[in-house]
């Protein structure tokens, strides 16, 4: 009786799987001509995708095993599902990513190698499962290293010649000409171009040739529970939405060879031509390990970036924590940014970096569409330990960075906060324990509030706050709990309208140290 029952159950289950595969849109790739032995099966996978689309959509199911493929083009209503133990590897033969396709590459829309997984002008594209996608990027990395490390100009490869020919009418700024026309353009692992409802969930992605998850001009993008691992590799950013809206990034674990998460919107005149901002982005509950930056905005921001929230994340070992970067010529506005509840550790450079001088070779110019703008950015509830520099703010004279606030910040760093060429900056309840120099420096800036700022480790004969050519500064509600030699040092002929109010200086030897170039009185009460 038990044997009959068991046979009956197996029969019903087999029938269910068969019917389900046939009627519910589940296509087992092993039944569609593919193999899980690591033998190239691009054609079988692409045919399964095309077949599913013709049926109105469906799921291409990859059981455990190893699959080798070239570039794949995703279609409407398609899900790629990688079961636990499934490894989708991409070919190291560059010809398998031809012909060229339209994509945005480093902020410029152009023709180049197909992304490994590519979707264009479609809806409802999904990649899920507990399997792994391996871009086998080392072959691509070695080629770019070969070209960049050469001490003499090399003969162009067929791929470089193809790139030049395919993009001969594309115009870029002179500084970018070599990158666009001479270097080897590695493809992103995933790019959806002008798509709606894009979801990547649960999978592990490793060894990307270039940027890893790179939606462009998309609406409603979700990246949830994804692990990205690109060790010792060039320009292998983790997640880079560019000119997208309604983006949700959560519960991800990222360790890469460049920035972990970067928000972009196009480069220079090409970005302004497409004029599509990135907006309505949430980044939550993520951990970032190796990477140049934890969360970065720019430097390709010419289409503008706005309405971004970053919360409940951990950065451990990144070069920088939160980084905004742009330069003259880029244009665009970064605004309405909120960062909260962040823990940082082992940050090699700055915990916070706001830099409008990313290209140091530019010169001051009139304010035009080429002028980048950072404004209305607010950061709160951050703990940062073992940091090289707590914060650097660097504006440009024709467009100072403005309307930034920092609240409830606690930082252990070698160097403290530095504010240069900025206006309307507020620090509330900020503690910086710096090892070198003043904990807080304000240079060439105005309209600054420093409320309840302090250090628990005063440095001998070194001010807690240093002002140089700074004006309209309110320093209030401060209490140095520990013996301090100098609280404030002020210098520069442009330093004026400095107000100290409601401060307690019981443990301070010298409240104000005046520099020889100071022409204005410091008002205290």
């Amino acid at each position: 009786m038990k044997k009959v029952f068991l046979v009956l159950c197996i029969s019903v289950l087999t029938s269910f799987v068969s019917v389900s595969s046939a009627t519910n849109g589940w296509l087992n790739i092993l039944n569609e001509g593919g193999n899980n032995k690591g033998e190239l099966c691009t054609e079988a996978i692409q045919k399964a995708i095309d077949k599913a689309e013709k049926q109105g959509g469906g799921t291409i199911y990859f059981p455990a095993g190893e699959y080798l493929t070239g570039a794949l083009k995703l279609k409407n209503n398609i899900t790629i599902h990688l079961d636990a133990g499934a490894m989708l590897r991409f070919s190291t033969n560059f010809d398998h990513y031809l012909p060229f396709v339209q994509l945005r590459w480093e902020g410029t829309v152009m023709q180049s190698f197909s992304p490994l997984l590519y979707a264009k002008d479609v809806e409802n594209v999904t990649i899920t499962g507990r399997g792994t996608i391996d871009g086998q990027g080392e072959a691509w990395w070695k080629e770019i290293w070969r070209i960049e490390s050469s001490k003499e100009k090399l003969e162009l490869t067929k791929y470089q010649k193809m790139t030049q020919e395919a993009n001969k009418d594309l115009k870029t700024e002179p500084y970018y000409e070599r990158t666009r026309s001479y270097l080897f353009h590695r493809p992103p692992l995933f790019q959806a171009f002008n798509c709606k409802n894009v979801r990547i969930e649960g999978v592990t992605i490793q060894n990307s040739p270039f940027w890893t998850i790179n939606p462009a001009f998309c609406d409603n993008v979700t990246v949830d529970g994804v692990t990205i691992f690109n060790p010792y590799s060039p320009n292998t950013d983790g997640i880079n939405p560019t000119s997208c809206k309604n983006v949700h990034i959560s519960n991800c674990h990222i360790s890469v060879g460049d920035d972990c998460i970067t928000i972009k919107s196009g480069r220079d005149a090409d970005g302004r031509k497409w004029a599509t901002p990135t907006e309505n982005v949430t980044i939550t509950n993520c951990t970032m390990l190796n990477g140049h930056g934890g969360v970065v905005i720019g430097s390709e921001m010419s289409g503008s970036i706005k309405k971004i929230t970053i919360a409940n994340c951990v950065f451990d070992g990144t070069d920088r924590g939160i980084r905004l970067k742009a330069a003259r010529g880029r244009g665009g506005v970064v605004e309405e940014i909120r960062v909260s509840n962040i823990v940082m550790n082992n940050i090699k450079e700055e915990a916070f970096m706001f830099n409008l001088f990313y290209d140091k070779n530019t010169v001051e110019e009139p304010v035009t569409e080429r002028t980048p703008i950072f404004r209305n950015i607010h950061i709160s509830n951050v703990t940062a330990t073992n940091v090289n520099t707590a914060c650097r703010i660097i504006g440009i004279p024709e467009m100072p960075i403005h309307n930034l606030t920092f609240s409830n910040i606690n930082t252990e760093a070698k160097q403290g906060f530095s504010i240069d060429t900025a206006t309307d900056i507020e620090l509330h309840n900020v503690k910086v324990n710096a090892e070198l120099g003043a904990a807080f420096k304000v240079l060439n800036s105005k309209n600054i509030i420093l409320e309840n700022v302090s250090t628990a480790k005063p440095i001998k004969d070194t001010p807690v706050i240093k002002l140089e050519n700074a004006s309209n500064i309110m320093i209030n509600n401060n209490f140095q709990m520990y013996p301090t030699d100098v609280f404030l040092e002020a210098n520069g002929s442009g330093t004026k309208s400095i107000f100290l109010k409601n401060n307690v200086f019981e443990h301070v030897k010298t409240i104000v140290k005046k520099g020889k170039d100071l022409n204005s009185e410091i008002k205290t009460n």
Side-chain angles (χ1 to χ4, degrees):
M1 184 65 179
K2 290 182 179 179
K3 289 183 179 179
V4 173
F5 179 74
L6 181 60
V7 170
L8 180 62
C9 287
I10 292 173
S11 176
V12 170
L13 181 60
T14 302
S15 299
F16 173 77
V17 171
S18 176
V19 171
S20 176
S21 297
T23 63
N24 292 340
W26 278 76
L27 300 177
N28 186 325
I29 194 62
L30 298 180
N31 297 333
E32 302 297 324
N35 72 85
N36 60 355
K37 307 300 181 184
E39 299 168 2
L40 191 68
C41 55
T42 311
E43 185 177 356
I45 299 173
Q46 189 62 59
K47 284 184 176 179
I49 292 170
D50 297 344
K51 176 181 177 181
E53 186 195 30
K54 288 179 181 178
Q55 297 175 172
T59 297
I60 315 304
Y61 171 62
F62 291 78
E66 183 177 325
Y67 304 85
L68 181 64
T69 181
L72 298 172
K73 188 172 183 180
L74 305 180
K75 304 292 185 68
N76 284 296
N77 306 311
I78 294 298
T79 294
I80 300 293
H81 183 83
L82 302 174
D83 210 353
M87 172 74 76
L88 183 62
R89 292 191 190 277
F90 280 85
S91 169
T92 58
N93 184 339
F94 303 155
D95 286 344
H96 292 165
Y97 303 90
L98 300 175
F100 280 2
V101 300
Q102 184 185 45
L103 77 166
R104 176 175 266 180
W105 193 88
E106 276 201 352
T108 302
V109 176
M110 63 189 307
Q111 296 287 322
S112 191
F113 286 112
S114 172
L116 282 56
L117 290 161
Y118 178 61
K120 185 173 186 292
D121 303 327
V122 299
E123 297 184 3
N124 306 326
V125 173
T126 304
I127 300 171
T128 65
R130 299 299 297 166
T132 300
I133 299 172
D134 189 343
Q136 299 205 105
E138 187 174 5
W140 300 91
W141 309 337
K142 285 181 176 178
E143 179 64 4
I144 194 67
W145 282 329
R146 181 188 71 83
I147 294 170
E148 288 191 319
S149 64
S150 176
K151 295 180 180 179
E152 56 187 32
K153 190 168 183 178
L154 301 173
E155 183 178 347
L156 294 180
T157 67
K158 72 171 185 178
Y159 303 114
Q160 290 171 297
K161 292 176 182 178
M162 289 171 63
T163 300
Q164 289 187 351
E165 179 61 26
N167 299 285
K168 59 186 177 183
D169 296 325
L170 182 64
K171 304 209 182 307
T172 59
E173 294 290 331
Y175 79 92
Y176 195 61
E177 186 64 26
R178 180 178 182 275
T179 299
R180 183 187 70 78
S181 62
Y182 178 67
L183 289 186
F184 179 62
H185 289 183
R186 295 161 288 152
L189 190 143
F190 171 90
Q191 185 172 113
F193 188 101
N194 190 38
C195 296
K196 291 183 179 180
N197 307 330
V198 177
R199 173 177 288 270
I200 303 178
E201 183 175 5
V203 295
T204 294
I205 304 176
Q206 62 191 29
N207 302 319
S208 176
F210 187 58
W211 296 354
T212 307
I213 297 175
N214 180 212
F217 305 103
C218 292
D219 182 7
N220 191 20
V221 177
T222 299
V223 183
D224 186 18
V226 171
T227 297
I228 301 175
F229 185 55
N230 298 322
Y232 314 112
S233 49
N235 314 112
T236 53
D237 297 37
I239 304 172
N240 291 25
T242 177
S243 293
C244 294
K245 62 181 179 181
N246 306 318
V247 178
H248 323 90
I249 302 170
S250 58
N251 308 311
C252 293
H253 183 76
I254 305 172
S255 183
V256 293
D258 207 321
D259 296 323
C260 294
I261 296 175
T262 305
I263 303 170
K264 300 176 180 289
S265 64
R267 181 186 293 271
D268 304 331
D270 191 73
R272 295 191 293 273
K273 180 185 76 174
W274 287 81
T276 307
T278 293
E279 58 186 327
N280 301 348
V281 179
T282 63
I283 300 171
T284 58
N285 304 334
C286 294
T287 56
M288 289 73 155
L289 301 181
N290 190 69
H292 290 338
V295 177
V296 178
I297 297 177
S299 59
E300 298 92 330
M301 49 158 281
S302 302
S304 295
I305 295 168
K306 56 188 177 180
K307 298 181 177 64
I308 313 294
T309 68
I310 304 163
N312 305 332
C313 293
V314 175
F315 309 149
D316 192 346
T318 57
D319 291 352
R320 294 170 179 86
I322 301 294
R323 184 184 190 189
L324 279 68
K325 54 184 180 178
R328 294 180 176 109
R330 302 292 171 95
V333 181
V334 173
E335 62 183 344
E336 302 172 80
I337 313 296
R338 286 278 177 177
V339 180
S340 63
N341 299 340
I342 305 294
V343 175
M344 304 186 196
N345 186 39
N346 299 320
I347 306 300
K348 300 176 182 65
E349 299 295 337
E350 298 88 4
F352 304 103
M353 181 64 165
F354 303 83
N355 186 8
L356 285 178
F357 228 112
Y358 188 57
D359 183 352
K360 300 179 179 63
N361 296 320
T362 59
V363 296
E364 188 170 346
E365 59 183 58
V367 174
T368 66
E369 64 176 4
R370 290 168 45 87
T371 307
I373 300 172
F374 289 169
R375 67 188 181 201
N376 195 6
I377 301 165
H378 308 284
I379 297 173
S380 62
N381 303 327
V382 177
T383 297
T385 57
N386 194 20
V387 171
N388 185 60
T389 301
C391 177
R392 291 182 67 198
I393 298 172
I394 308 172
I396 49 179
E398 67 269 28
M399 186 56 66
I401 295 172
H402 59 286
N403 192 13
L404 270 65
T405 65
F406 296 84
S407 304
N408 302 324
I409 312 293
N410 197 311
T411 305
E412 298 277 346
K414 289 183 179 179
Q415 301 182 73
F417 260 70
S418 176
I419 302 170
D420 189 349
T421 315
T423 182
D424 297 78
I425 310 296
E426 299 184 20
L427 275 62
H428 302 275
N429 303 325
V430 177
K431 178 180 286 186
V432 176
N433 296 330
E435 299 176 12
L436 301 171
F440 305 92
K441 298 177 184 177
V442 181
L443 300 87
N444 310 310
S445 299
K446 64 181 181 179
N447 303 341
I448 311 294
I449 294 175
L450 303 176
E451 180 190 28
N452 190 23
V453 300
S454 65
T455 178
K457 297 179 179 179
I459 301 171
K460 182 176 176 59
D461 298 325
T462 300
V464 176
I465 301 171
K466 184 174 182 178
L467 307 179
E468 187 161 345
N469 294 321
S471 63
N472 206 31
I473 313 295
M474 170 66 79
I475 302 173
N476 66 312
N477 297 330
N478 295 287
F479 174 41
Q480 273 299 118
M481 298 181 184
Y482 301 92
T484 302
D485 286 349
V486 182
F487 178 72
L488 172 65
E489 180 180 322
N491 197 19
S493 59
T495 295
K496 58 185 179 180
S497 301
I498 311 301
F499 304 92
L500 275 68
K501 291 186 177 293
N502 301 323
N503 299 290
V504 177
F505 296 127
E506 186 71 20
H507 305 301
V508 177
K509 287 183 181 180
T510 301
I511 298 173
V512 178
K513 180 180 177 181
K514 297 181 180 180
K516 64 179 181 178
D517 295 327
L518 182 68
N519 298 324
S520 178
E521 289 297 316
I522 308 296
K523 299 177 182 180
T524 65
N525 72 345

